[in-house]
Amino acid sequence: MAAPIETLVILGAGGDLTSRLLLPGLASLLGSSRGPDIRLLGVDRGSFTPAAWNRKVSKAFGKAGGTRAAAVAASTRYLQADVTDPESLRRVLDEATGRTALYFALPPAVTVAACRALAKLELPKGIVLAIEKPFGTDLDSAQSLNRLLQQLVPEEQVFRVDHFLGKSTVINLIGLRFANRIFEPLLSAQNVAHVEIRIEEDLALEGRAGYYDRAGALVDMIQSHLLLVLALATMEPPATVQSEDLRGAMAQVLRATRPWKKDGTESRRARYTAGTIGRRKLPAYTSEEGVDRARGTETLAEMTVTIDNWRWAGVPFVLRSGKAIGDPRQEIVFTFRDVPHLPTGFDGPNRQAQLRIGIKPAVMSLDLVTNGFADPFDLECDTLEAEFPASELSAYGEVLAELLEGDPTLSVRGDIAEECWRIVAPVLAAWRKDKVPLDTYPAGSRGPRSWR
């Protein structure tokens, strides 16, 4: 494993991502048993006095992180710089000490411009580049960005961040599937009728129109998150849980994945109208500040894919994600086929058995058909439940831990990022041609009535 990072540089330090996720995640890490000794350097175009930057960091850290976080907050520095200018970036790199990680908390277009500026510099040995999703805006741009990054550093020094792939989530899925003899042979086309992967949230736009209105739910979630969860849930057993074995197995199954209908029309899209979630009254998406109504951005997306390999051929996988959903779910659900023959005389349960793997909360449940209590010939479904151990770190804490420790296990490899764009490309094309209608649903509902 490479030497640990000594300086963490956040490009785009004045932005929402830094305040809302990165700095709290860093505090989570600093207060844990894995807490590193690092310097924090913030960089952005806006001006911060040293005291103002220190207050911003301290506020984001809150009470988390203990004495180590307090020390980082007290020693952190801020540099005003244009990250698209090579000379400005040279000044930033000169301020870093030891092995350095550059975290691009920037819009995608600015990230590309910053990487082009870095290409004009001689970079410090061992520097690591952490890039937020979306990785490109389509397959061509993802391939172009990969080629640019290859000019800068080796692949093992690029961290394409996906905070949904926290290490606990990854290890929970792999441990469940491959450390239990009951599950590995069970999860295949012979036994599974269909699979659903849902990552829904009750949050609405939350002031992110500048990014989200150009991306939508399909790109923001399915392309960049759900397909990676699909890969973990369906890949063949890797030889080890080391990064290259794990990511190689994920790449292999994604190469076999395609839309259920090659023209991308086995998909659905919708956006929320005004509604209520809890005590919050939400406006319609088209009334949110910064939204361009003419764009037709979806806030709920669903697509069905198939995996053309021996294990999964013919099984439909439904990937669904949306905002402003009432009673949201984040889970993988395997629905099993009925038994080939139920002995005559039994009355079976009225639903198919399922294995449900929760992403948030991290729980598992498995249905078993058993004899009824009152009448043993009247079969019933009982459910076994188990909780996965919780991580001591937040999602971004886990990402930062792997980044700072130099472990690329949680990084999305370049070819995997490209495969994800390839898979969704036919759906995006169908939607651009209006081959799939744009439905609506009230905020706080489970989605359009016609989808149920």
Side-chain angles (χ1 to χ4, degrees):
M1 188 176 291
I5 298 296
E6 295 180 35
T7 301
L8 173 63
V9 180
I10 300 179
L11 306 180
D16 174 68
L17 173 65
T18 299
S19 299
R20 187 168 52 90
L21 295 172
L22 273 180
L23 291 177
L26 180 58
S28 164
L29 172 59
L30 291 171
S32 74
S33 60
R34 299 168 67 182
D37 293 319
I38 62 160
R39 290 184 64 226
L40 175 65
L41 185 62
V43 179
D44 214 325
R45 299 186 71 168
S47 61
F48 276 95
T49 65
W53 171 245
N54 182 276
R55 285 195 299 272
K56 179 182 175 72
V57 173
S58 297
K59 182 179 178 181
F61 280 1
K63 297 180 180 179
T67 56
R68 186 179 275 116
V72 170
S75 64
T76 184
R77 291 197 59 203
Y78 178 82
L79 288 178
Q80 185 175 5
D82 178 0
V83 299
T84 66
D85 174 60
E87 288 308 311
S88 293
L89 284 174
R90 188 192 306 277
R91 182 165 55 90
V92 170
L93 294 175
D94 286 344
E95 288 291 328
T97 57
R99 192 160 186 249
T100 301
L102 290 185
Y103 200 109
F104 294 75
L106 300 166
V110 183
T111 294
V112 173
C115 288
R116 287 175 178 156
L118 287 173
K120 299 178 181 178
L121 303 176
E122 183 176 349
L123 300 182
K125 184 178 180 180
I127 190 171
V128 175
L129 310 180
I131 299 177
E132 278 278 343
K133 59 95 177 173
F135 188 78
T137 55
D138 55 21
L139 178 57
D140 288 342
S141 63
Q143 291 172 332
S144 176
L145 182 51
N146 272 337
R147 289 192 294 269
L148 175 58
L149 291 170
Q150 288 168 3
Q151 299 173 26
L152 301 178
V153 295
E155 172 65 28
E156 60 267 22
Q157 290 169 224
V158 178
F159 275 69
R160 297 170 188 84
V161 174
D162 182 6
H163 65 279
F164 271 82
L165 293 190
K167 191 135 193 188
S168 60
T169 302
V170 171
I171 299 304
N172 286 345
L173 267 173
I174 296 173
L176 177 69
R177 289 191 60 203
F178 302 131
N180 293 283
R181 183 176 286 271
I182 186 175
F183 288 124
E184 199 285 328
L186 185 65
L187 299 182
S188 68
Q190 183 178 359
N191 303 301
V192 176
H194 57 87
V195 181
E196 286 184 273
I197 300 177
R198 291 185 178 223
I199 298 180
E200 302 165 334
E201 57 184 353
D202 55 11
L203 295 176
L205 192 56
E206 312 299 323
R208 297 176 65 225
Y211 159 69
Y212 192 88
D213 199 43
R214 289 174 172 80
L218 182 67
V219 167
D220 182 51
M221 293 298 297
I222 293 179
Q223 181 275 144
S224 58
H225 293 316
L226 272 72
L227 283 171
L228 300 179
V229 175
L230 169 77
L232 287 168
T234 59
M235 68 184 186
E236 295 301 316
T240 73
V241 291
Q242 300 302 310
S243 60
E244 283 312 294
D245 285 340
L246 181 60
R247 296 191 297 176
M250 293 175 68
Q252 182 181 37
V253 74
L254 286 173
R255 284 194 292 270
T257 302
R258 61 170 174 81
W260 186 262
K261 290 185 178 178
K262 294 183 179 181
D263 65 358
T265 56
E266 189 65 37
S267 59
R268 300 193 287 195
R269 56 178 177 156
R271 65 182 174 196
Y272 64 82
T273 57
T276 303
I277 298 181
R279 296 182 178 180
R280 293 182 296 144
K281 290 185 177 180
L282 298 176
Y285 177 79
T286 52
S287 299
E288 296 269 20
E289 184 178 355
V291 168
D292 181 355
R293 296 187 177 197
R295 226 179 235 125
T297 302
E298 81 287 351
T299 60
L300 175 63
E302 180 182 289
M303 70 175 292
T304 303
V305 301
T306 186
I307 301 174
D308 292 329
N309 65 14
W310 186 282
R311 181 187 292 268
W312 294 113
V315 177
F317 290 81
V318 178
L319 313 180
R320 178 170 172 172
S321 184
K323 287 186 171 296
I325 300 295
D327 189 25
R329 291 186 285 170
Q330 296 190 11
E331 62 183 1
I332 309 162
V333 181
F334 295 88
T335 299
F336 297 109
R337 299 182 185 278
D338 290 329
V339 294
H341 171 69
L342 183 67
T344 303
F346 279 122
D347 287 327
N350 56 9
R351 64 183 177 89
Q352 292 172 294
Q354 295 180 328
L355 169 65
R356 293 171 291 276
I357 303 171
I359 298 171
K360 186 178 180 179
V363 296
M364 182 207 75
S365 63
L366 174 65
D367 295 332
L368 291 178
V369 177
T370 59
N371 300 90
F373 178 75
D375 182 352
F377 295 99
D378 184 16
L379 302 179
E380 300 173 352
C381 254
D382 285 332
T383 301
L384 302 178
E385 295 185 345
E387 292 186 16
F388 296 113
S391 171
E392 64 175 331
L393 301 177
S394 68
Y396 265 87
E398 290 194 331
V399 167
L400 288 170
E402 301 305 302
L403 169 66
L404 298 177
E405 293 168 5
D407 182 353
T409 301
L410 300 188
S411 168
V412 179
R413 206 169 65 184
D415 58 337
I416 293 177
E418 293 178 14
E419 290 298 332
C420 291
W421 277 116
R422 175 194 60 77
I423 293 165
V424 302
V427 176
L428 289 170
W431 290 6
R432 282 194 295 267
K433 296 175 182 177
D434 286 327
K435 292 183 177 180
V436 175
L438 179 61
D439 298 323
T440 59
Y441 61 98
S445 69
R446 295 305 308 271
R449 288 183 177 274
S450 61
W451 291 27
R452 299 173 197 172

